[in-house]
Amino acid sequence: GGKKVIDNNEVPSITSDGPQMRIKVKDKCLELGRQSEDMKKHVDEEVLVPLIIGVASEVLNDFKEQLGKALSGDCGDNAVCVDDKESVQKILKENQNWQRWFTVAKVKGAVRMKAKTKKYSEEKLWPGSEYLGDCLRAMVVCRGGKESGDMIYQTWLQLKEAFCIKKGNGRLKNNFATAGVLKGEKHQKPPDMLMNITLNVEGCMPMPAEIQVHHEEILELKESRDHLLYEIYRAESISSLQG
């Protein structure tokens, strides 16, 4: 399993530069304001973004339910759901044989969505909001140990099947396969998997979601590093860091 995770043939990178969703009402909204550039910007940021947030909030529990079902194993190795990430250690102590845990984040806020929408509309095509790929976000953490590679690979297979991840329907960035490989002066990202899937819920427009898959021990190192960098950033002086 571990060898398969770093094999591009077994876990291929799936890229897509196109829109992550289609919002059918966008053209009707634009026609209400003479289709001017100002109207385009207003529709994109002030109409479509709140609409996306509303739909994402509507299907948030469906996302959590579908993800939980996708991670249900045949051998009783169902993933532990963690509603509050701050309580993860307490929950894992109550489930000492856990192999994976997952959590679903709150819907991304309007300020961040609007900033991304503006960027995408400038770099890609109107409406930039259709390029948002992480309106819903989740994280799956696989336990460290000898079998961790197998569990990460199994997680990929289960999510691939459940959400039909393939070229033209989703994206996958397998950073486990590129760990330690530098391209030019780019900083190498920590080993993990980043997937963009399409959540289909009856009665709602398809909604893009991002799922991160982590190795427990690598995630702990990453979070401790990020916490240290944050402490350095907010420190008033070197002496304050020294305690």
Side-chain angles (χ1 to χ4, degrees):
K3 290 183 178 179
K4 290 181 178 179
V5 168
I6 60 175
D7 186 336
N8 279 325
N9 293 318
E10 293 285 349
V11 189
S13 291
I14 300 172
T15 60
S16 172
D17 293 325
Q20 298 300 298
M21 62 182 134
R22 296 292 184 182
I23 306 174
K24 295 180 180 180
V25 299
K26 62 180 185 292
D27 293 324
K28 292 292 184 182
C29 292
L30 192 58
E31 289 172 3
L32 298 175
R34 298 187 298 191
Q35 304 185 47
S36 67
E37 290 303 313
D38 284 345
M39 189 64 181
K40 278 187 173 184
K41 176 179 172 60
H42 191 86
V43 168
D44 207 5
E45 298 177 19
E46 305 299 336
V47 178
L48 299 185
V49 166
L51 175 64
I52 291 168
I53 291 174
V55 177
S57 300
E58 182 71 19
V59 301
L60 185 64
N61 285 334
D62 297 272
F63 180 40
K64 177 180 171 182
E65 181 179 341
Q66 288 192 30
L67 183 57
K69 286 182 178 178
L71 297 173
S72 296
D74 296 331
C75 302
D77 56 342
N78 295 353
V80 176
C81 179
V82 175
D83 288 321
D84 181 6
K85 196 180 171 187
E86 298 298 319
S87 304
V88 63
Q89 295 305 322
K90 177 178 179 293
I91 293 171
L92 295 184
K93 282 182 180 179
E94 296 170 354
N95 297 270
Q96 294 189 9
N97 294 323
W98 72 275
Q99 294 301 313
R100 295 176 294 188
W101 65 268
F102 74 96
T103 187
V104 174
K106 295 179 180 178
V107 175
K108 183 172 285 190
V111 173
R112 292 179 66 192
M113 276 203 195
K114 287 180 183 180
K116 279 194 167 184
T117 292
K118 181 180 179 181
K119 177 184 176 184
Y120 291 146
S121 65
E122 293 171 352
E123 295 178 352
K124 300 179 184 292
L125 297 172
W126 185 88
S129 52
E130 286 192 334
Y131 290 85
L132 294 168
D134 59 351
C135 307
L136 297 168
R137 296 163 294 157
M139 179 170 69
V140 182
V141 180
C142 299
R143 191 166 193 164
K146 292 181 179 179
E147 306 301 323
S148 58
D150 292 327
M151 187 56 64
I152 291 169
Y153 182 63
Q154 179 184 334
T155 300
W156 153 243
L157 293 179
Q158 289 174 307
L159 295 176
K160 175 187 175 184
E161 179 179 1
F163 297 108
C164 300
I165 304 172
K166 59 183 179 180
K167 189 74 173 178
N169 189 57
R171 295 187 294 193
L172 169 66
K173 186 178 290 185
N174 181 11
N175 293 322
F176 287 109
T178 58
V181 179
L182 291 175
K183 291 185 178 179
E185 296 182 354
K186 287 186 177 180
H187 293 290
Q188 175 59 42
K189 293 183 178 180
D192 58 18
M193 278 187 196
L194 302 177
M195 305 176 199
N196 291 101
I197 63 101
T198 299
L199 180 74
N200 292 297
V201 175
E202 187 176 356
C204 297
M205 73 176 189
M207 182 60 52
E210 179 184 87
I211 303 174
Q212 301 179 6
V213 179
H214 296 281
H215 183 287
E216 173 196 18
E217 294 166 1
I218 295 173
L219 179 64
E220 288 176 357
L221 288 171
K222 179 180 179 294
E223 290 186 339
S224 62
R225 181 203 65 179
D226 289 346
H227 179 71
L228 175 60
L229 290 175
Y230 175 72
E231 290 296 322
I232 292 173
Y233 173 78
R234 66 192 290 270
E236 295 181 1
S237 65
I238 294 296
S239 58
S240 64
L241 289 171
Q242 295 173 334

